[in-house]
Amino acid sequence: MLLKNKQDGALIKIEDTIQLINPLQSNIEGCIQEGQEEQPPEEFAKEMLIFPSGEELPRCWLDANYQHYLNH
C-alpha cells in the first residue's frame, strides 16, 4: 500500500498492512519511493502519514480508544 508523508509529500510503500491498521502500533515500517532502486526500510509515525489522495488515515487505525469518541 502506498501512503504519503504529510511533511514532504514523499510516497511511502507499506508492506505490512496488519501493522498499519493496528491502533496499538504508533509507528510503521515503510520504504520511501524515490529513484530507481528500492530504498531501505525506515520507521514512520502513523500520525504523519496520509493517503495519496490527501485523506487522513481512519481514526480506528491510529487510536485504540476511537469508539470512546463515538459515544460522547
Side-chain angles (χ1 to χ4, degrees), residues 40-53:
E42 296 179 43
E43 194 167 278
F44 298 92
K46 287 185 351 185
E47 66 184 21
M48 296 307 298
L49 301 175
I50 57 176
F51 289 108
S53 65

Side-chain angles (χ1 to χ4, degrees), residues 19 30 38 47 59:
Q19 282 184 344
E38 184 77 22
E47 66 184 21
R59 177 176 261 173

Side-chain angles (χ1 to χ4, degrees), residues 20-71:
L20 178 61
I21 65 173
N22 181 353
L24 300 176
Q25 188 145 4
S26 58
N27 294 325
I28 187 160
E29 195 172 88
C31 298
I32 295 176
Q33 300 295 292
E34 71 180 12
Q36 295 289 331
E37 296 182 21
E38 184 77 22
Q39 302 299 312
E42 296 179 43
E43 194 167 278
F44 298 92
K46 287 185 351 185
E47 66 184 21
M48 296 307 298
L49 301 175
I50 57 176
F51 289 108
S53 65
E55 289 180 76
E56 297 286 329
L57 298 180
R59 177 176 261 173
C60 62
W61 292 6
L62 304 171
D63 184 355
N65 296 313
Y66 77 97
Q67 289 181 334
H68 172 76
Y69 302 107
L70 298 175
N71 297 324

